[in-house]
Amino acid sequence: MSTKPITLCFQQLSVGNAHTGFRLRDISNTFYAGEVTALIGPNGSGKSTLLSVASTQLTPQSGSLTLCGKKSSDWSARERAQRVAHLPQHQELNFAFTVEEVVQLGRQCHTESTRHTRQIARQYGTALDITTLWKRDYTSLSGGEKQRVHVARVLAQVSALDPDHQTPRLLLLDEPTNSLDLTHQALLIDKVKQAAQYGVTTIMSLHDLNLVSPICDAVICLQHGRVHTLGHPKDVLTKSVLESVFHTPIHVSHTTDQHPLIVLDPTQRQRQS
């Protein structure tokens, strides 16, 4: 058992019911400060739902959730926002804000001067390589540029790159590498690792399974709203587990650093068809 402080704890969480169908069922896990956990699984397996529950935007039908040792309902909306930042898959923002203004939205839950808000926003804009876009109209950006703006916003919300921040913080990222090129995927990985070093707990859903092992301490593999497999990346990212969940032939090798390297196995798929 980890000696790190507990940031988030699920106990027997379920979303849905036997009549309408379960989106999540009997989910239990403890997430510790400074740890990075990946959620993997097929489309519709419950990854986004689990992140929505963790962010308290979705209330489970049963089970309990504690954030930093307290029930989520015991925190005010502002207190939760200062501790929990959620980046969903789809962002609906069609106003002509500048990039700077969008990043500053992450600081609205904090009581601080306008000057400090601008300083913090600039710090995270620099971290995500978007300061050259600072005065651009957000709606004019490409998909990848918009994604980097929102990653900067949620990092700024919980001061994820502040080594002196003492408040436990939770970063929830739903497919954060969507639309990012290789350079900016690498930048995102670097910032998630840095946030972990500063005590931020991160839970993120990923479809690119080759990003999981280099970033994450643990993996939760979901199937049909249930935990199929939970553990260290090297124990979860195996041929037997992945083929049983995704129902497609794959090949697993390893990098020189012994990280699993996962590719589809087209030869086996052709034989099956």
Side-chain angles (χ1 to χ4, degrees), residues 97-100 122 130-138:
F97 292 143
T98 65
V99 168
E100 179 182 19
R122 173 68 71 163
I130 55 173
T131 52
T132 57
L133 310 173
W134 215 228
K135 298 302 179 182
R136 285 267 303 274
D137 179 340
Y138 167 83

Side-chain angles (χ1 to χ4, degrees), residues 7 32-34 67-68 82-85 124 155 157-171 195 197-202:
T7 303
Y32 296 93
L67 173 65
C68 305
Q82 290 170 350
R83 291 162 173 80
V84 182
Y124 288 89
L155 288 175
Q157 179 180 334
V158 291
S159 301
L161 305 180
D162 181 358
D164 298 320
H165 205 296
Q166 299 301 312
T167 303
R169 293 155 290 165
L170 178 62
L171 188 61
Q197 291 173 354
Y198 298 155
V200 177
T201 303
T202 301

Side-chain angles (χ1 to χ4, degrees), residues 50-123:
L50 186 60
L51 290 172
S52 294
V53 172
S55 71
T56 72
Q57 295 176 15
L58 180 63
T59 301
Q61 272 65 54
S62 61
S64 64
L65 179 154
T66 56
L67 173 65
C68 305
K70 296 168 60 175
K71 293 181 180 179
S72 61
S73 58
D74 291 340
W75 298 102
S76 69
R78 179 182 291 274
E79 288 173 330
R80 282 198 304 271
Q82 290 170 350
R83 291 162 173 80
V84 182
H86 180 206
L87 178 68
Q89 282 188 48
H90 305 293
Q91 302 289 329
E92 298 295 335
L93 183 58
N94 298 314
F95 297 98
F97 292 143
T98 65
V99 168
E100 179 182 19
E101 289 170 333
V102 175
V103 178
Q104 287 180 7
L105 290 174
R107 301 298 300 172
Q108 295 303 302
C109 57
H110 298 273
T111 303
E112 60 191 15
S113 67
T114 300
R115 179 181 179 182
H116 188 63
T117 292
R118 288 175 176 167
Q119 289 175 339
I120 295 292
R122 173 68 71 163
Q123 173 191 348

Side-chain angles (χ1 to χ4, degrees), residues 133-150:
L133 310 173
W134 215 228
K135 298 302 179 182
R136 285 267 303 274
D137 179 340
Y138 167 83
T139 60
S140 72
L141 303 181
S142 71
E145 289 169 336
K146 288 179 178 178
Q147 185 74 345
R148 282 152 52 203
V149 171
H150 285 296

Side-chain angles (χ1 to χ4, degrees), residues 173-244:
L173 305 174
D174 199 351
E175 293 295 330
T177 58
N178 277 355
S179 303
L180 297 186
D181 59 33
L182 289 176
T183 299
H184 292 105
Q185 284 185 25
L187 181 63
L188 173 67
I189 290 169
D190 178 66
K191 298 312 168 189
V192 169
K193 287 181 175 179
Q194 187 177 354
Q197 291 173 354
Y198 298 155
V200 177
T201 303
T202 301
I203 309 171
M204 59 182 178
S205 67
L206 289 169
H207 278 301
D208 188 342
L209 301 181
N210 290 317
L211 294 178
V212 173
S213 183
I215 310 172
C216 300
D217 303 290
V219 183
I220 299 174
C221 182
L222 296 172
Q223 185 180 45
H224 305 309
R226 290 181 179 270
V227 174
H228 179 280
T229 312
L230 166 66
H232 189 276
K234 292 178 182 178
D235 298 323
V236 178
L237 301 179
T238 65
K239 180 179 176 68
S240 61
V241 169
L242 297 178
E243 286 189 343
S244 70

